Amino acid sequence: MKLIILDDYDKASEWAAKYVRNRIFQFNPGPDRFFTLGLPTGSTPLGLYKKLIEFFKSGEISFKYVKTFNMDEYVAIPRDHPESYHSFMWNNFFKHIDIRAENAHILNGNAADLQAECQAFEDKIKAAGGIQIFIGGIGPDGHIAFNEPGSSLASRTRVKTLALDTIQANARFFDGDLSKVPNMALTVGVGTVMDAREVLILITGAHKAFALYKAIEEGVNHMWTVSAFQQHPQTVFVCDEDATLELRVKTVKYFKGMMPMHNKLVDPPQEIAEKPYSA
Amino acid sequence: MPSNKSVSDSQIIQFINCRILKDHLLQREDLWVRDGKFLDPEKLFFDEEGFADIRVDCNDSIVAPGFIDVQINGGYGIDFSLATDDVSGGVALVAKKILEHGVTSFCPTLVTSPPHIYHKVLPEVKVHDGGREGAGVLGVHVEGPFISPQKKGAHPEMFLRGFEAGGVRDVLETYGCLDTVAMVTLAPELAGSPAVIQDLAQRGITVSLGHSVASLSQAEEAVRQGATFITHLFNAMLPFHHRDPGIVGLLTSDRLPAERTVYYGMIADGIHTDPAALRIAHRAHPAGLVLVTDAIMAMGLPAGRHTLGQQVIEIQGLHACLAGTKTLSGSIASMDMCLRNFRQASGCSREAALEAASAPGPAPGAQPPEGHPGLRHRCRLRVAG
């Protein structure tokens, strides 16, 4: 694991965006060679998306040959509902970049056969050659996507019933009416994310600190599903100072000491400095 | 081309780097158009897997709905109340010129005239959408002759009339064919007017109250019968009185049908209405305010004497009066001047001013909003700095 510690949310978002930019650049995608990204929703990745959009606008990245796979989507809310993850991705990312719709995959929570939809999603990932980087966040209860405490660490894309606190936390987006909040979602499994070549987890804010502690300083445990990535060969956790508040001083000092080396991963590749990526 | 062409083959145009008026706010958003209609880009992306064929860079301009002028008597030497040999040519000339002021739809207005004028002019006016050649014509606004002699303003008294033959018959006899009529200004206190208002409203013609000495209750009755507009508020009607506010009282009346909005034309040339009066109306009923020019043929022409209908008027600066009197006979301010005056006088936001100048409410043929949420369906656009 690489634990990347930045001063604040903005710097963490920027580091993560540069990392993704560099990986796409190094991969050198083309019409027969798509770069595949797994994408999250929520407030944590907003800064990352803003930065990626900036890089697109300045010509440093193109998403023309990038395929994306979102982690999850609610079941049974209209696709154009302002709280659907389709709306989130459109408004916060897709509408600002040059990705083609046929390359942007989001689970369809209104499919007639939800199981088939989940299986089809897994098949699409396989057909795309697997995911290069799966970007995710972490819930205060240590969950990744909707793999809430107790989810199997070997799980695949499936239908999940949402935990009561998740529903309560979401009520504010549905006029405070619990009956309007979706109570099921389609989500990639922990196993699905583990299949990716790299996993990039964004964790910012003090309210996530305990979950980060459980995820990296305690054992692998299905109650804190992000801990599964201790067994992935290429995991990067990008966080801000506040998110490290529950970690041992020793852990933090160790990884801060590695920052000069880790920062090389986000230096602009020579070619970017000389020649912008053409769309 | 859209990838799956499931809806249409037509080109998709994306306007970028612009500010659009959406949900009553100027927002930085791209505007997507296909076949002259707004597209919801999110639907385009997820349903059709489509993208833009053409991108137009607006260089940070505002893209706003075109202005609508429902009361304009002419301009640039053209007088709509004059039965010339080339009525449609005259309308086309004004239509082209007012595009420069941002007006993309208008109602050529005829002041009180003898029947033979209406019979000649009305059929010659074509109702059509606008385009590069000029603003669209929504239909004719006939202001009079069914108005009050006590509030005739600059209208010629000898041609005023009431509903002597029972109402609807008088209307048809006077105007001839109503096919091209979009709006009628009348005085609701005239005997027989309720039936006329009801009939006109049922035909889809906007009925406007004006040049009238109606009391508030007479005006309210007219609205219940179907009237939806007030012609140049404050001008040519009884002044506001605290025990009988008259037509002005419609702005805050609670005796109107629940769903009905009463719109009122406001000439914001700085002359027809004192800014304080404009503010009172605006603050009382901001949603109903509609900017109109009431421009006369002299708009765009130099100072001096000119004709309006059957009368002679005199221009000095921005004032246009009946020759030899102080009676205002119309305005020569263009719509964009009115908009700036209105904004300054009312202190309202840019968005509110833009909406007041392009309010579709009273305009006939205005469709309810659909398509892109927050944007009005079927409006012409202007690009402004």
Side-chain angles (χ1 to χ4, degrees):
Chain A
M1 155 187 93
K2 294 184 182 71
L3 181 65
I4 310 291
I5 305 171
L6 284 312
D7 291 340
D8 57 37
Y9 174 78
D10 289 335
K11 294 208 170 68
S13 303
E14 187 178 4
W15 198 100
K18 285 180 174 171
Y19 187 80
V20 171
R21 174 200 67 189
N22 285 9
R23 277 298 197 228
I24 296 178
F25 183 84
Q26 282 157 8
F27 183 87
N28 195 17
D32 305 313
R33 199 180 140 70
F34 277 76
F35 188 88
T36 45
L37 266 180
L39 294 179
T41 53
S43 49
T44 308
L46 283 175
L48 165 72
Y49 287 136
K50 277 201 179 73
K51 257 316 202 225
L52 286 174
I53 292 165
E54 266 178 47
F55 291 152
F56 163 69
K57 288 199 164 124
S58 65
E60 289 169 70
I61 318 180
S62 164
F63 292 89
K64 197 164 169 205
Y65 300 118
V66 172
K67 283 196 170 128
T68 64
F69 293 87
N70 264 69
M71 293 187 131
D72 41 23
E73 173 60 287
Y74 289 115
V75 168
I77 67 169
R79 195 200 61 215
D80 58 3
H81 190 285
E83 293 304 320
S84 82
Y85 288 168
H86 280 79
S87 294
F88 178 96
M89 290 308 298
W90 169 254
N91 285 310
N92 292 304
F93 198 42
F94 296 150
K95 81 173 175 194
H96 305 280
I97 57 173
D98 63 344
I99 190 165
R100 288 282 155 89
E102 64 262 25
N103 296 325
H105 302 280
I106 308 181
L107 284 155
N108 176 10
N110 291 304
D113 183 346
L114 294 176
Q115 305 274 40
E117 171 68 13
C118 292
Q119 184 56 51
F121 201 70
E122 290 274 343
D123 295 338
K124 275 186 211 148
I125 294 176
K126 211 192 255 159
I131 296 196
Q132 299 292 333
I133 307 181
F134 219 125
I135 308 175
I138 188 175
D141 59 1
H143 72 240
I144 174 129
F146 276 121
N147 295 289
E148 314 224 295
S151 295
S152 162
L153 300 180
S155 50
R156 310 300 308 185
T157 306
R158 66 215 185 285
V159 186
K160 279 289 276 188
T161 306
L162 301 181
L164 187 56
D165 5 327
T166 307
I167 296 175
Q168 279 168 347
N170 285 342
R172 71 187 195 270
F173 300 122
F174 293 89
D175 303 322
D177 184 351
L178 285 179
S179 67
K180 285 192 190 154
V181 186
N183 55 18
M184 291 206 295
L186 304 182
T187 178
V188 294
V190 181
T192 317
V193 182
M194 282 290 285
D195 280 352
R197 241 157 244 105
E198 271 193 79
V199 176
L200 177 70
I201 307 287
L202 285 169
I203 311 182
T204 54
H207 59 305
K208 303 283 175 83
F210 191 74
L212 177 59
Y213 148 65
K214 281 290 187 185
I216 66 174
E217 286 187 339
E218 296 285 320
V220 174
N221 188 325
H222 66 173
M223 285 305 185
W224 302 89
T225 46
V226 178
S227 64
F229 302 118
Q230 290 178 25
Q231 298 195 295
H232 190 291
Q234 296 278 23
T235 305
V236 182
F237 284 88
V238 180
C239 49
D240 62 359
E241 285 280 353
D242 285 347
T244 64
L245 287 174
E246 294 283 350
L247 297 178
R248 287 205 177 134
V249 173
K250 188 166 142 182
T251 311
V252 174
K253 281 193 171 195
Y254 174 73
F255 285 103
K256 274 193 171 170
M258 307 264 282
M259 282 309 289
M261 200 176 84
H262 289 157
N263 276 334
K264 294 203 175 116
L265 295 167
V266 293
D267 279 341
Q270 275 307 107
E271 284 87 335
I272 285 182
E274 285 162 15
K275 188 175 68 180
Y277 194 111
S278 57
Chain B
M1 293 296 153
S3 306
N4 61 17
K5 296 184 186 170
S6 54
V7 173
S8 164
D9 268 349
S10 311
Q11 290 209 315
I12 296 173
I13 308 171
Q14 180 187 7
F15 292 89
I16 62 173
N17 283 334
C18 53
R19 289 167 283 160
I20 63 174
L21 192 57
K22 184 178 164 206
D23 294 329
H24 309 295
L25 279 177
L26 277 173
Q27 303 184 27
R28 206 159 252 302
E29 283 258 11
D30 293 347
L31 193 67
W32 296 68
V33 179
R34 177 172 62 193
D35 287 334
K37 297 203 177 85
F38 297 130
L39 281 184
D40 180 345
E42 188 175 345
K43 277 205 179 67
L44 176 70
F45 187 81
F46 288 122
D47 283 336
E48 295 182 52
E49 294 182 347
F51 49 90
D53 296 291
I54 302 171
R55 271 193 189 88
V56 177
D57 191 334
C58 298
N59 291 316
D60 209 32
S61 299
I62 294 172
V63 181
F67 303 145
I68 301 179
D69 193 355
V70 296
Q71 186 165 12
I72 168 172
N73 307 289
Y76 301 93
I78 304 293
D79 178 355
F80 296 135
S81 305
L82 216 54
T84 64
D85 290 325
D86 187 17
V87 169
S88 53
V91 171
L93 191 146
V94 175
K96 192 173 171 77
K97 287 290 194 182
I98 59 180
L99 266 190
E100 290 163 33
H101 306 152
V103 178
T104 52
S105 300
F106 72 110
C107 293
T109 304
L110 268 69
V111 297
T112 295
S113 302
H116 73 86
I117 297 281
Y118 296 115
H119 294 179
K120 170 90 204 316
V121 173
L122 261 46
E124 300 274 325
V125 176
K126 306 273 172 300
V127 174
H128 65 86
D129 284 344
R132 267 183 236 269
E133 337 69 47
V137 174
L138 296 169
V140 179
H141 176 178
V142 284
E143 190 189 9
F146 303 103
I147 55 176
S148 166
Q150 293 160 278
K151 288 291 175 188
K152 63 184 188 296
H155 290 228
E157 177 147 20
M158 68 184 108
F159 300 120
L160 301 185
R161 53 174 299 183
F163 302 115
E164 291 94 16
V168 181
R169 243 192 38 201
D170 300 275
V171 167
L172 293 171
E173 265 170 23
T174 303
Y175 300 130
C177 179
L178 289 176
D179 287 351
T180 57
V181 172
M183 210 159 159
V184 174
T185 291
L186 50 78
E189 70 274 21
L190 294 177
S193 75
V196 171
I197 296 173
Q198 214 186 53
D199 181 86
L200 291 173
Q202 264 160 17
R203 288 171 197 256
I205 293 176
T206 300
V207 177
S208 185
L209 309 178
H211 287 276
S212 155
V213 294
S215 63
L216 177 56
S217 43
Q218 283 168 327
E220 285 163 342
E221 179 57 28
V223 173
R224 282 193 286 272
Q225 295 303 328
T228 54
F229 202 67
I230 301 172
T231 302
H232 44 57
L233 185 79
F234 296 130
N235 300 104
M237 58 186 65
L238 289 176
F240 174 87
H241 183 285
H242 52 289
R243 278 191 293 276
D244 186 351
I247 291 177
V248 179
L250 286 177
L251 267 56
T252 49
S253 167
D254 59 356
R255 291 187 289 259
L256 303 176
E259 297 299 297
R260 191 75 60 79
T261 303
V262 173
Y263 294 92
Y264 54 99
M266 180 68 77
I267 306 174
D269 62 347
I271 295 163
H272 278 71
T273 308
D274 186 283
L278 186 153
R279 280 191 288 276
I280 287 177
H282 183 240
R283 288 178 199 177
H285 182 29
L289 197 148
V290 171
L291 291 175
V292 299
T293 57
D294 201 12
I296 54 173
M297 69 151 3
M299 174 184 65
L301 296 181
R305 287 188 163 221
H306 307 273
T307 60
L308 172 63
Q310 315 292 315
Q311 315 226 280
V312 183
I313 50 110
E314 181 146 10
I315 305 217
Q316 272 179 8
L318 266 185
H319 285 75
C321 299
L322 270 188
T325 74
K326 286 216 179 318
T327 306
L328 292 170
S329 66
S331 153
I332 50 176
S334 61
M335 182 60 93
D336 57 315
M337 279 187 220
C338 290
L339 193 149
R340 285 191 193 91
N341 272 335
F342 167 65
R343 205 172 157 215
Q344 203 181 26
S346 67
C348 71
S349 65
R350 204 182 221 166
E351 290 87 344
L354 285 171
E355 291 193 329
S358 57
Q367 307 291 325
E370 56 170 282
H372 196 307
L375 276 183
R376 287 216 306 278
H377 177 59
R378 297 207 64 192
C379 63
R380 311 287 171 259
L381 295 181
R382 323 161 12 254
V383 181

PDB file of all heavy atoms in Angstrom, chain B residues 38-50:
ATOM      1  N   PHE B  38     -34.715  23.004 -27.975  1.00  0.00           N
ATOM      2  CA  PHE B  38     -33.674  22.746 -26.986  1.00  0.00           C
ATOM      3  C   PHE B  38     -33.611  21.252 -26.683  1.00  0.00           C
ATOM      4  O   PHE B  38     -34.627  20.587 -26.606  1.00  0.00           O
ATOM      5  CB  PHE B  38     -33.968  23.489 -25.682  1.00  0.00           C
ATOM      6  CG  PHE B  38     -33.978  24.973 -25.844  1.00  0.00           C
ATOM      7  CD1 PHE B  38     -35.036  25.714 -25.371  1.00  0.00           C
ATOM      8  CD2 PHE B  38     -32.932  25.628 -26.464  1.00  0.00           C
ATOM      9  CE1 PHE B  38     -35.054  27.089 -25.521  1.00  0.00           C
ATOM     10  CE2 PHE B  38     -32.946  27.005 -26.619  1.00  0.00           C
ATOM     11  CZ  PHE B  38     -34.018  27.732 -26.146  1.00  0.00           C
ATOM     12  N   LEU B  39     -32.392  20.779 -26.504  1.00  0.00           N
ATOM     13  CA  LEU B  39     -32.202  19.377 -26.139  1.00  0.00           C
ATOM     14  C   LEU B  39     -31.784  19.285 -24.697  1.00  0.00           C
ATOM     15  O   LEU B  39     -31.057  20.142 -24.204  1.00  0.00           O
ATOM     16  CB  LEU B  39     -31.055  18.779 -26.959  1.00  0.00           C
ATOM     17  CG  LEU B  39     -31.305  18.360 -28.386  1.00  0.00           C
ATOM     18  CD1 LEU B  39     -30.037  17.717 -28.908  1.00  0.00           C
ATOM     19  CD2 LEU B  39     -32.456  17.383 -28.474  1.00  0.00           C
ATOM     20  N   ASP B  40     -32.191  18.223 -24.061  1.00  0.00           N
ATOM     21  CA  ASP B  40     -31.653  17.930 -22.746  1.00  0.00           C
ATOM     22  C   ASP B  40     -30.398  17.096 -22.993  1.00  0.00           C
ATOM     23  O   ASP B  40     -30.499  15.932 -23.408  1.00  0.00           O
ATOM     24  CB  ASP B  40     -32.685  17.135 -21.942  1.00  0.00           C
ATOM     25  CG  ASP B  40     -32.193  16.782 -20.558  1.00  0.00           C
ATOM     26  OD1 ASP B  40     -30.973  16.897 -20.305  1.00  0.00           O
ATOM     27  OD2 ASP B  40     -33.010  16.390 -19.733  1.00  0.00           O
ATOM     28  N   PRO B  41     -29.221  17.665 -22.749  1.00  0.00           N
ATOM     29  CA  PRO B  41     -28.008  16.941 -23.116  1.00  0.00           C
ATOM     30  C   PRO B  41     -27.823  15.656 -22.327  1.00  0.00           C
ATOM     31  O   PRO B  41     -27.179  14.718 -22.800  1.00  0.00           O
ATOM     32  CB  PRO B  41     -26.887  17.944 -22.812  1.00  0.00           C
ATOM     33  CG  PRO B  41     -27.474  18.914 -21.863  1.00  0.00           C
ATOM     34  CD  PRO B  41     -28.928  18.970 -22.150  1.00  0.00           C
ATOM     35  N   GLU B  42     -28.399  15.603 -21.125  1.00  0.00           N
ATOM     36  CA  GLU B  42     -28.251  14.380 -20.332  1.00  0.00           C
ATOM     37  C   GLU B  42     -29.017  13.237 -21.003  1.00  0.00           C
ATOM     38  O   GLU B  42     -28.516  12.127 -21.146  1.00  0.00           O
ATOM     39  CB  GLU B  42     -28.783  14.613 -18.913  1.00  0.00           C
ATOM     40  CG  GLU B  42     -28.495  13.450 -17.994  1.00  0.00           C
ATOM     41  CD  GLU B  42     -28.901  13.711 -16.551  1.00  0.00           C
ATOM     42  OE1 GLU B  42     -29.145  14.878 -16.199  1.00  0.00           O
ATOM     43  OE2 GLU B  42     -28.969  12.730 -15.786  1.00  0.00           O
ATOM     44  N   LYS B  43     -30.239  13.555 -21.482  1.00  0.00           N
ATOM     45  CA  LYS B  43     -31.011  12.525 -22.201  1.00  0.00           C
ATOM     46  C   LYS B  43     -30.283  12.128 -23.482  1.00  0.00           C
ATOM     47  O   LYS B  43     -30.235  10.959 -23.845  1.00  0.00           O
ATOM     48  CB  LYS B  43     -32.382  13.064 -22.599  1.00  0.00           C
ATOM     49  CG  LYS B  43     -33.410  12.997 -21.522  1.00  0.00           C
ATOM     50  CD  LYS B  43     -34.828  12.950 -22.135  1.00  0.00           C
ATOM     51  CE  LYS B  43     -35.898  12.861 -21.061  1.00  0.00           C
ATOM     52  NZ  LYS B  43     -36.000  14.078 -20.228  1.00  0.00           N
ATOM     53  N   LEU B  44     -29.736  13.147 -24.143  1.00  0.00           N
ATOM     54  CA  LEU B  44     -29.019  12.883 -25.390  1.00  0.00           C
ATOM     55  C   LEU B  44     -27.874  11.920 -25.141  1.00  0.00           C
ATOM     56  O   LEU B  44     -27.643  10.981 -25.904  1.00  0.00           O
ATOM     57  CB  LEU B  44     -28.489  14.204 -25.963  1.00  0.00           C
ATOM     58  CG  LEU B  44     -27.634  14.103 -27.215  1.00  0.00           C
ATOM     59  CD1 LEU B  44     -28.488  13.707 -28.392  1.00  0.00           C
ATOM     60  CD2 LEU B  44     -26.924  15.421 -27.504  1.00  0.00           C
ATOM     61  N   PHE B  45     -27.155  12.137 -24.032  1.00  0.00           N
ATOM     62  CA  PHE B  45     -25.988  11.314 -23.715  1.00  0.00           C
ATOM     63  C   PHE B  45     -26.399   9.888 -23.374  1.00  0.00           C
ATOM     64  O   PHE B  45     -25.931   8.923 -23.975  1.00  0.00           O
ATOM     65  CB  PHE B  45     -25.260  11.959 -22.525  1.00  0.00           C
ATOM     66  CG  PHE B  45     -23.947  11.319 -22.171  1.00  0.00           C
ATOM     67  CD1 PHE B  45     -22.807  11.625 -22.881  1.00  0.00           C
ATOM     68  CD2 PHE B  45     -23.852  10.436 -21.103  1.00  0.00           C
ATOM     69  CE1 PHE B  45     -21.582  11.061 -22.544  1.00  0.00           C
ATOM     70  CE2 PHE B  45     -22.632   9.869 -20.752  1.00  0.00           C
ATOM     71  CZ  PHE B  45     -21.501  10.188 -21.479  1.00  0.00           C
ATOM     72  N   PHE B  46     -27.320   9.731 -22.419  1.00  0.00           N
ATOM     73  CA  PHE B  46     -27.631   8.391 -21.933  1.00  0.00           C
ATOM     74  C   PHE B  46     -28.571   7.627 -22.850  1.00  0.00           C
ATOM     75  O   PHE B  46     -28.435   6.427 -23.035  1.00  0.00           O
ATOM     76  CB  PHE B  46     -28.216   8.461 -20.515  1.00  0.00           C
ATOM     77  CG  PHE B  46     -27.198   8.805 -19.463  1.00  0.00           C
ATOM     78  CD1 PHE B  46     -27.361   9.914 -18.652  1.00  0.00           C
ATOM     79  CD2 PHE B  46     -26.072   8.021 -19.282  1.00  0.00           C
ATOM     80  CE1 PHE B  46     -26.420  10.235 -17.672  1.00  0.00           C
ATOM     81  CE2 PHE B  46     -25.116   8.331 -18.310  1.00  0.00           C
ATOM     82  CZ  PHE B  46     -25.295   9.447 -17.507  1.00  0.00           C
ATOM     83  N   ASP B  47     -29.576   8.315 -23.437  1.00  0.00           N
ATOM     84  CA  ASP B  47     -30.538   7.598 -24.276  1.00  0.00           C
ATOM     85  C   ASP B  47     -30.026   7.389 -25.686  1.00  0.00           C
ATOM     86  O   ASP B  47     -30.122   6.305 -26.240  1.00  0.00           O
ATOM     87  CB  ASP B  47     -31.859   8.377 -24.361  1.00  0.00           C
ATOM     88  CG  ASP B  47     -32.683   8.213 -23.108  1.00  0.00           C
ATOM     89  OD1 ASP B  47     -32.471   7.195 -22.418  1.00  0.00           O
ATOM     90  OD2 ASP B  47     -33.516   9.076 -22.821  1.00  0.00           O
ATOM     91  N   GLU B  48     -29.558   8.486 -26.288  1.00  0.00           N
ATOM     92  CA  GLU B  48     -29.168   8.396 -27.696  1.00  0.00           C
ATOM     93  C   GLU B  48     -27.690   8.153 -27.872  1.00  0.00           C
ATOM     94  O   GLU B  48     -27.248   7.937 -28.991  1.00  0.00           O
ATOM     95  CB  GLU B  48     -29.519   9.700 -28.410  1.00  0.00           C
ATOM     96  CG  GLU B  48     -30.983   9.982 -28.493  1.00  0.00           C
ATOM     97  CD  GLU B  48     -31.216  11.263 -29.264  1.00  0.00           C
ATOM     98  OE1 GLU B  48     -30.691  11.395 -30.379  1.00  0.00           O
ATOM     99  OE2 GLU B  48     -31.901  12.139 -28.726  1.00  0.00           O
ATOM    100  N   GLU B  49     -26.926   8.258 -26.789  1.00  0.00           N
ATOM    101  CA  GLU B  49     -25.460   8.183 -26.887  1.00  0.00           C
ATOM    102  C   GLU B  49     -24.970   9.191 -27.927  1.00  0.00           C
ATOM    103  O   GLU B  49     -24.124   8.890 -28.758  1.00  0.00           O
ATOM    104  CB  GLU B  49     -25.011   6.755 -27.232  1.00  0.00           C
ATOM    105  CG  GLU B  49     -25.346   5.779 -26.090  1.00  0.00           C
ATOM    106  CD  GLU B  49     -24.882   4.360 -26.335  1.00  0.00           C
ATOM    107  OE1 GLU B  49     -24.512   4.037 -27.478  1.00  0.00           O
ATOM    108  OE2 GLU B  49     -24.908   3.580 -25.376  1.00  0.00           O
ATOM    109  N   GLY B  50     -25.546  10.370 -27.886  1.00  0.00           N
ATOM    110  CA  GLY B  50     -25.231  11.384 -28.898  1.00  0.00           C
ATOM    111  C   GLY B  50     -24.271  12.441 -28.386  1.00  0.00           C
ATOM    112  O   GLY B  50     -23.991  12.539 -27.200  1.00  0.00           O
TER     113      GLY B  50
END
